[in-house]
Amino acid sequence: MTTKQDTKQADLQKDTVEINSAQPLTTDYGIKVNNTDNWLRAIMRFDHERIPERVVHARGTAAFGTFKLHKSLSDLTTAGVLIDTSRETPVFVRFSTVQGSKGSADTVRDVRGFAVKMYTSEGNWDIVGNNIPVFFIQDAMKFPDVIHAVKPEPQTEVPQAQTAHNNFWDFMYLHTESTHMQQWAMSDRAIPRSFRMMQGFGVNTFSLVNANGKRHFVKFIWTPELGVHSLVWDEALKIGGQDPDFHRKDLMEAIDNGVYPKWKFGIQVVPEEKQDKFAFDILDATKVWPEDQVPIQYVGEMELNRNVDEFFTQTEQVAFCTSHIVPGIDFTDDPLLQGRNFSYFDTQLSRLGPNWEELPINRPVCPFMNMNRDGAMRHRITKGNVNYWPNRFQANPPAPLSQGGFISYPATQQGIKDRQVSDKFKEHFNQAQLFYNSLSDIEKLHVSKAYSFELDHCDDPTVYKRMTERLSYIDLPLAQKVAKNVGGDTPKKPAKDNHGQKAKGLSQLEFQPSTPTIASRRIAILIADGFDHSAFSAMKDALQKQKAFVFPIGTHRQPVTAETGEKVTPAHHLPGMRSTLFDATFVPGGKHIESLSKNGIAKHWITESFAHLKAVGSVNEAVDFIHLQINLDKVKVASIDGSKVQDSYGVVTAFGSPDELMKVQNAGESAKGFAERFVCRVSKHRCWERELEGLVDGVPA
Ligand code: HDD
């Protein structure tokens, strides 16, 4: 039942003030300022505007939203947020990269953070996860080493926001438990198209405890409604320079335009008595629980629907802690989690100070009261004459379990306490093989290219030679391909036989939207004076009806004039944008092709879109223009049966009147009309065949 205590998103806006008002300017202590040009005081305040950035995950962006549960988990837990299906729990979610500093680019190859703060009626619950379900290390003790190795090298502070350097790969070779996650980091998962198109994983094993005191082990998973999609590497590299805020802006744009990103919330559950029944240890964060062995049950949904009001006070000051759990949820002996429970709280003390939990973005929105006092920057005023328990007034008493008090699960402990690692923890390659084997051909190709790029940037032969040898523990052809590219010694036989097994849920291509969609896809329409207005506007309407974000890109931003005299004001002019920032491009016919044919940027736009495997559409006079750039003569041109429309590797072309071309009735595989075929191609995200067949870099898989 919804109770009065239910938390609301509005509760998070309590301290928000509006600067865009006629209220006069004052000092921090309230006196009105009469002159801003000859007043020194502000400088001193300005000098102190910075706080330390996060030691990892410094670069990030965030949004508000809600979590809704569809299926009560009362058989597993007493946590209100996981049993009450009538609630809408407010959430704040911060996405991030790991390696780079606060001002680094969004699209670098890296793991993405996926941290969720749920402001539940029983207190804050943080799931501080990543978009990759495993971690580089098994024990938190090694965190400083892995982070020192991945961060810029100490003597030069180079490179920024990249793993492509000697120290990282030196550590990767010497620290074999990293091998599994390393495979994920070299896969397309590490270059997401959007934060809205990636999964989130709690990674660590937590537990759920029900009303009878029974414990189950659990993992938490977020799966995006839009499917899991990635950039291609060359595009990611270029966007890093062309629009370093690409992911930030992408999230804001979707929310501002009402296409709210959504994720299904899933759990994997292992009953306590089955914990030893797996080939891996369920408390080892370098291992997944393969879905075939532990299925995911989807039980809820999260939507992000409000952008932040101010970056610093919300996105920068938000502080997550794995130790923030609510009654009904508990930790486990997962050694990575145990260390994290210490580290996050500790880090907030140095970043934000002892009263960090009082900051508006961090404090709970349910009632809270305790005996904590003082410390720098305390701002809550607690009235009353006791600050200790027990006290003569019985003020602020601890709550027993029956009143919602938190108790730790009374776990049975046996055996010897020692600094040793179990045999299952010592096994480091089976799941690395499982992951690689489960990828599709295009994903495997990308893994080999990623390793090749990374190791090519290592100039110490010890590092790249050892690493290519290490790859022969995973897959011999992979190791051979990478050795050839980076100058390692070609291994002749596998260092470890590949077990040949595959598992469900590891290849990201398995995660496609249940109904194909182009919602929130950025589509460019290139125009110059003389374009065909009817084709332009019919296509724009058709795409917008499907909730795509459409951007006319002109040779200039002053209105561009159509053949028939209509004027369109472009969103941008060609030199101001790049094809990399769009998911697909359409070029209408008309006389404007004459000037586009002489425009180097427009021509490059088309060849680059082709190279980045994107859908390209054109009609009438624009068809030849497209074919010339892409040199489709060398590519087979396929007509769709019974239609005048041609679709060659996602280059969709047709001749005819806009009325007949631009209808979208069926955008599925069997689509025969021009616009519906184009929409179908955009909804598939990329045309992988181009790369697999060597049309892009001349090297077939
Ligand atoms: Fe961590 C930040 C995710 C292991 C120590 N971590 C941080 C953030 C995410 C993760 C998403 C950013 C939170 C935000 O947006 O503010 N970290 C993970 C995952 C891990 C993991 C999924 C493995 C399962 N982390 C990990 C270990 C340690 C840390 C083993 C230390 C022993 N992590 C930190 C930190 C950070 C952090 C240093 C930096 C800023 C912060 O905490 O608030 O304490």
Side-chain angles (χ1 to χ4, degrees):
M1 285 296 293
T2 311
T3 63
K4 268 205 194 116
Q5 251 197 28
D6 257 15
T7 51
K8 300 264 172 317
Q9 266 209 56
D11 295 330
L12 287 161
Q13 290 170 293
K14 262 190 278 182
D15 280 351
T16 313
V17 291
E18 173 70 61
I19 195 165
N20 295 0
S21 70
Q23 201 185 322
L25 182 72
T26 72
T27 61
D28 279 343
Y29 55 93
I31 65 155
K32 289 180 189 159
V33 172
N34 80 343
N35 177 333
T36 54
D37 296 335
N38 304 300
W39 191 297
L40 254 185
R41 189 181 301 274
I43 294 183
M44 183 274 291
R45 181 61 187 72
F46 169 80
D47 289 342
H48 300 274
E49 281 185 356
R50 291 292 166 271
I51 62 168
E53 65 174 37
R54 290 166 175 84
V55 60
V56 281
H57 296 264
R59 170 81 187 167
T61 198
F64 293 94
T66 45
F67 172 75
K68 279 190 219 157
L69 188 74
H70 299 316
K71 178 179 175 266
S72 173
L73 298 176
S74 53
D75 52 334
L76 296 171
T77 178
T78 54
V81 61
L82 295 180
I83 59 179
D84 183 351
T85 52
S86 70
R87 284 190 195 180
E88 280 196 5
T89 302
V91 300
F92 189 61
V93 180
R94 183 173 178 273
F95 303 107
S96 48
T97 56
V98 180
Q99 203 260 22
S101 50
K102 189 169 172 286
S104 58
D106 280 345
T107 58
V108 298
R109 174 175 293 284
D110 200 352
V111 180
R112 297 301 186 283
F114 192 123
V116 180
K117 189 180 284 296
M118 300 213 204
Y119 302 87
T120 88
S121 307
E122 293 81 22
N124 288 355
W125 174 30
D126 295 350
I127 307 180
V128 198
N130 280 339
N131 74 331
I132 287 178
V134 285
F135 204 59
F136 286 121
I137 49 171
Q138 296 170 322
D139 190 320
M141 217 109 69
K142 294 177 187 157
F143 193 69
D145 286 318
V146 67
I147 297 303
H148 283 172
V150 69
K151 281 274 183 179
E153 299 190 358
Q155 76 284 22
T156 53
E157 225 201 16
V158 171
Q160 179 57 236
Q162 294 192 36
T163 46
H165 62 104
N166 288 327
N167 282 5
F168 178 70
W169 289 105
D170 183 29
F171 186 86
M172 286 294 106
Y173 172 79
L174 293 166
H175 200 70
T176 47
E177 74 198 41
S178 300
T179 316
H180 184 201
M181 177 154 180
Q182 189 199 103
Q183 293 277 316
W184 285 80
M186 291 303 108
S187 79
D188 291 341
R189 299 268 184 166
I191 42 169
R193 155 66 181 83
S194 160
F195 292 134
R196 305 174 292 122
M197 300 174 197
M198 53 185 211
Q199 285 187 293
F201 302 91
V203 181
N204 290 118
T205 302
F206 285 84
S207 55
L208 295 178
V209 185
N210 70 15
N212 301 325
K214 170 140 177 68
R215 168 167 78 159
H216 288 80
F217 294 101
V218 65
K219 289 215 188 251
F220 302 115
I221 299 114
W222 304 102
T223 294
E225 191 190 43
L226 291 172
V228 180
H229 302 290
S230 294
L231 299 168
V232 298
W233 180 230
D234 182 63
E235 183 190 19
L237 280 174
K238 288 176 171 169
I239 298 177
Q242 290 162 351
D243 191 354
D245 307 303
F246 184 72
H247 283 152
R248 241 177 222 202
K249 286 155 79 171
D250 168 273
L251 182 66
M252 288 187 284
E253 179 177 75
I255 294 176
D256 281 344
N257 287 287
V259 184
Y260 299 139
K262 288 198 177 90
W263 285 262
K264 289 190 291 178
F265 173 69
I267 53 169
Q268 285 180 295
V269 179
V270 172
E272 197 162 1
E273 57 280 8
K274 293 216 172 129
Q275 61 176 312
D276 295 321
K277 299 265 179 324
F278 301 90
F280 52 89
D281 193 313
I282 62 162
L283 303 184
D284 175 355
T286 66
K287 311 280 166 44
V288 289
W289 296 359
E291 268 187 67
D292 328 61
Q293 295 175 48
V294 190
I296 301 182
Q297 319 170 29
Y298 285 103
V299 296
E301 164 185 304
M302 176 170 76
E303 172 186 278
L304 296 184
N305 48 29
R306 184 161 71 86
N307 282 316
V308 299
D309 293 308
E310 190 182 21
F311 187 89
F312 180 81
T313 47
Q314 298 178 317
T315 311
E316 192 58 17
Q317 288 198 322
V318 69
F320 297 87
C321 283
T322 50
S323 54
H324 283 173
I325 51 172
V326 290
I329 302 174
D330 210 337
F331 310 117
T332 62
D333 290 341
D334 171 342
L336 193 73
L337 177 59
Q338 289 292 331
R340 293 182 77 196
N341 286 346
F342 161 76
S343 178
Y344 288 75
F345 200 95
D346 189 47
T347 224
Q348 314 314 347
L349 296 179
S350 67
R351 235 169 64 75
L352 302 165
N355 284 311
W356 62 273
E357 281 179 291
E358 290 200 338
L359 293 169
I361 194 67
N362 292 325
R363 68 188 172 209
V365 295
C366 67
F368 64 99
M369 176 64 71
N370 56 47
M371 307 302 183
N372 293 342
R373 291 295 182 276
D374 309 350
M377 298 296 145
R378 172 81 173 177
H379 77 253
R380 193 182 210 204
I381 300 165
T382 318
K383 217 169 117 183
N385 56 359
V386 287
N387 54 1
Y388 53 86
W389 177 263
N391 62 61
R392 63 194 182 281
F393 309 108
Q394 294 286 308
N396 204 204
L401 178 66
S402 58
Q403 290 168 25
F406 180 92
I407 58 155
S408 294
Y409 177 74
T412 311
Q413 298 290 340
Q414 54 187 0
I416 303 161
K417 193 174 168 192
D418 197 2
R419 290 181 198 269
Q420 297 287 338
V421 175
S422 72
D423 286 344
K424 285 183 184 175
F425 267 67
K426 281 186 197 148
E427 194 293 303
H428 297 157
F429 299 112
N430 283 344
Q431 288 210 352
Q433 291 183 351
L434 186 74
F435 174 74
Y436 186 77
N437 295 346
S438 307
L439 296 180
S440 62
D441 288 347
I442 188 72
E443 289 170 297
K444 284 184 178 167
L445 179 63
H446 290 166
V447 168
S448 72
K449 288 183 176 179
Y451 272 110
S452 302
F453 180 93
E454 296 273 315
L455 297 177
D456 179 79
H457 282 64
C458 300
D459 55 12
D460 186 337
T462 313
V463 173
Y464 60 78
K465 286 190 172 175
R466 278 176 162 184
M467 259 319 296
T468 51
E469 185 243 312
R470 170 71 73 235
L471 292 179
S472 74
Y473 282 73
I474 314 298
D475 182 78
L476 186 62
L478 169 68
Q480 291 171 333
K481 215 183 274 184
V482 174
K484 181 174 177 194
N485 289 342
V486 307
D489 301 323
T490 304
K492 300 279 176 309
K493 54 181 188 6
K496 181 175 165 46
D497 284 334
N498 187 307
H499 53 56
Q501 289 156 17
K502 296 182 180 185
K504 222 177 107 191
L506 304 181
S507 159
Q508 71 178 54
L509 294 188
E510 285 176 32
F511 300 96
Q512 299 301 318
S514 45
T515 24
T517 177
I518 62 164
S520 80
R521 292 297 187 156
R522 297 169 59 83
I523 302 179
I525 305 187
L526 304 193
I527 52 172
D529 286 333
F531 71 97
D532 173 355
H533 186 263
S534 53
F536 165 84
S537 64
M539 188 61 158
K540 184 165 168 271
D541 292 350
L543 296 172
Q544 281 175 335
K545 231 185 239 161
Q546 311 276 322
K547 295 200 183 146
F549 301 156
V550 181
F551 302 84
I553 308 290
T555 38
H556 44 266
R557 198 150 77 169
Q558 280 183 356
V560 175
T561 311
E563 238 171 2
T564 38
E566 296 87 343
K567 293 202 181 290
V568 166
T569 305
H572 297 279
H573 80 315
L574 270 164
M577 280 290 126
R578 293 293 182 273
S579 81
T580 45
L581 310 176
F582 300 88
D583 291 292
T585 296
F586 168 67
V587 189
K591 288 209 186 81
H592 73 149
I593 294 304
E594 271 173 40
S595 72
L596 289 184
S597 301
K598 291 179 206 138
N599 185 313
I601 296 180
K603 286 157 68 172
H604 178 64
W605 189 293
I606 302 301
T607 42
E608 193 178 47
S609 298
F610 186 79
H612 294 160
L613 318 176
K614 294 172 182 177
V616 178
S618 66
V619 291
N620 303 326
E621 293 85 347
V623 172
D624 276 355
F625 169 66
I626 298 294
H627 281 201
L628 265 174
Q629 313 317 319
I630 296 173
N631 203 357
L632 271 175
D633 286 352
K634 300 229 170 79
V635 175
K636 81 177 179 263
V637 175
S639 292
I640 298 163
D641 283 348
S643 160
K644 284 182 228 152
V645 178
Q646 291 183 330
D647 178 352
S648 298
Y649 296 89
V651 179
V652 186
T653 52
F655 294 89
S657 78
D659 286 351
E660 111 197 39
L661 293 174
M662 302 306 173
K663 281 192 211 106
V664 179
Q665 274 147 359
N666 153 30
E669 292 294 331
S670 56
K672 293 193 166 154
F674 170 78
E676 52 191 23
R677 191 74 195 173
F678 180 69
V679 168
C680 164
R681 282 298 191 169
V682 180
S683 75
K684 284 176 183 298
H685 181 62
R686 296 300 164 92
C687 179
W688 305 116
E689 297 81 25
R690 284 183 208 161
E691 191 180 359
L692 280 171
E693 294 180 26
L695 301 177
V696 169
D697 53 11
V699 189

